[in-house]
Amino acid sequence: MNEKKTMLSGIQPSGDLHLGNYLGPMRHWPGMIETYDCFFFMADLHTITVRQDPAQLRKRTLTQIAQYIASGLDPEKCTLFVQSHVPAHAQLGWVLNCYTMFGELSRMTQFKDKASKHSENINAGLFTYPVLMAADILIYQPDYVPVGEDQRQHVEICRDIAERFNGIYGDVLRVPEPYIAKVGARIMSLNAPETKMSKSLPEGCVFLMDKPEDIMRKFKRAVTDSDTERCVRYAPGEKPGVSNLVQIYAAATGKSFEEIESEFAGQGYGKFKPAVGEAVVETLRPIREETERLLADKAYLESVYRAGAEKAGCVAEKTLRKVYKKLGFLAR
Ligand code: ATP
Ligand code: LTN
């Protein structure tokens, strides 16, 4: 029998979801639920590596579930859950901590980045974050992990940890592949195109719940380049601002870079910027409206994440038991 392959991904509810999150990983997820056995979760355990406001965290986690569903993840066809509802993640996380080296964690770019941004709170959780992420992944034995480019290093360390573990105990954990799309895997900030679009830079960031007029304003103000040719062309090295807009337009409309270049040939940036804004408004409109509708039905959202935790918990427990047995822990 040809068994379905498995996919898994998650996003931290540490801020409102934005266009980078959507165009990078999320927009590919709905197409996967037909072909793969999919697990998508809200990585709430990860958020506390940085201080969070509890009420905000609770609200954002619920909003994120609604946004997952609104962007096309039918809960009948995939498993949607909250990370902290499945204790096996943290349990496997502890085990994997003992199979991860201090040196390899010290080399993680995201750790170095976040440690410099939060120098007053460089806690152990921030340092071991990739181990918990490895546990999130390995506990579902997935074949693929669809993420944005900045998460590649975390999926790589997860593979290293799994291989190290398997090297000692035999084929216990499946070694997954990252799944990173070619277009949209690294959307840049609209007002600082040399840095990644991120919730920590809100002015250059378009949020999924932004109103159309706010989206249009952000695109009209988007930084374009001070080159003399003033033409719409994808050339990230020379023209980071315009290339970022070309990438966004391509991801939002499905057009190729060549089609976009000829569509705006000889027109400068004045027409292009609002056209990208409109394409994004139309892409996000149904997601925002559906999210608002779903948020009014808390009982439904609750039923989705309860059922999701139940399903995810069964799969996760099975892997945890297997791992515990291999380690020599006495069965309960
Ligand atoms: P932070 O500001 O804390 O770094 P973030 O806004 O970058 O957070 P994450 O929660 O780290 O978002 O990322 C969630 C998912 O979205 C990951 O798969 C990540 O690779 C992807 N992602 C984040 N930002 C972008 C971006 N600008 N372009 C494409 N994908 C992105
Ligand atoms: N580190 C990821 C969120 C995340 C994740 C995962 C993604 C936590 N666990 C497992 C894929 C698989 C981020 O987006 N910052």
Side-chain angles (χ1 to χ4, degrees), residues 299-321:
Y300 170 70
L301 293 175
E302 224 176 88
S303 73
V304 168
Y305 66 69
R306 286 227 175 100
E310 193 68 38
K311 262 165 73 187
C314 288
V315 180
E317 269 297 312
K318 230 169 113 184
T319 308
L320 187 69
R321 294 287 142 229

Side-chain angles (χ1 to χ4, degrees), residues 145-170:
V145 183
V147 285
E149 184 58 47
D150 62 327
Q151 293 298 317
R152 186 189 290 278
Q153 200 185 27
H154 287 160
V155 182
E156 290 300 334
I157 195 176
C158 164
R159 289 168 54 86
D160 294 342
I161 297 169
E163 277 165 3
R164 184 173 300 133
F165 194 89
N166 288 346
I168 305 171
Y169 301 101

